[in-house]
Amino acid sequence: MPATAQAVEMLQIAARAADDKGGEDLIGLDVSGPLPLVDIFLLVTGRNERNVGAISDEIEEKLLEAGHKRVRREGRQEGRWVLLDFGDLVVHVFHEQERVYYSLERLWKDCPIVPIELPARSAAEPAPR
């Protein structure tokens, strides 16, 4: 059973929030087949511990504003890998080194990719830092 419309909506909100804080290499994976309690994983890379924290805080804030409840949050103090569990959507915000080490894309390679729609930036607009 593919991801629900609500999970896809949550993914878009979280992806825009991550992008606004400089999140890189955003990937949405439909894990609803192998994982009955989760529809989508969002994988995001932050450049450093501070950036990982800022990205995860922004994602959490935007999803809460949209009326979605957080089930669990782990890893915030270390700033190397933050997990945000919103039920249908689980967000993994990684430091670059952890993203490579754990390689969740490889682990879940058989899962379909869920397209992420981000606002286009003009050439004059700098990437967020």
Side-chain angles (χ1 to χ4, degrees):
M1 184 168 155
T4 64
Q6 177 176 312
V8 173
E9 175 193 336
M10 293 169 71
L11 170 69
Q12 300 306 329
I13 293 167
R16 283 191 299 275
D19 184 60
D20 286 348
K21 291 297 180 181
E24 301 172 349
D25 302 324
L26 281 68
I27 296 178
L29 297 173
D30 183 338
V31 295
S32 61
L35 296 176
L37 299 177
V38 178
D39 281 355
I40 298 176
F41 279 175
L42 172 60
L43 310 179
V44 182
T45 300
R47 292 178 304 279
N48 53 50
E49 289 89 348
R50 194 170 176 181
N51 188 227
V52 167
I55 293 166
S56 61
D57 288 347
E58 185 72 4
I59 291 169
E60 186 171 7
E61 180 181 321
K62 296 302 181 189
L63 285 170
L64 290 172
E65 284 176 6
H68 302 288
K69 285 191 166 212
R70 185 188 79 219
V71 177
R72 181 178 57 174
R73 179 182 186 154
E74 295 182 12
R76 177 66 175 96
Q77 289 183 348
E78 296 83 16
R80 305 289 295 179
W81 179 359
V82 176
L83 180 141
L84 299 170
D85 182 349
F86 278 86
D88 291 341
L89 173 71
V90 174
V91 180
H92 300 269
V93 184
F94 293 97
H95 187 280
E96 294 169 313
Q97 294 166 340
E98 274 68 16
R99 175 90 179 248
V100 171
Y101 180 79
Y102 289 103
S103 188
L104 291 186
E105 296 92 330
R106 188 174 43 111
L107 181 66
W108 298 101
K109 69 181 178 212
D110 294 334
C111 295
I113 292 178
V114 182
I116 295 172
E117 298 172 17
L118 296 174
R121 294 196 195 312
S122 70
E125 186 178 349
R129 286 255 159 206

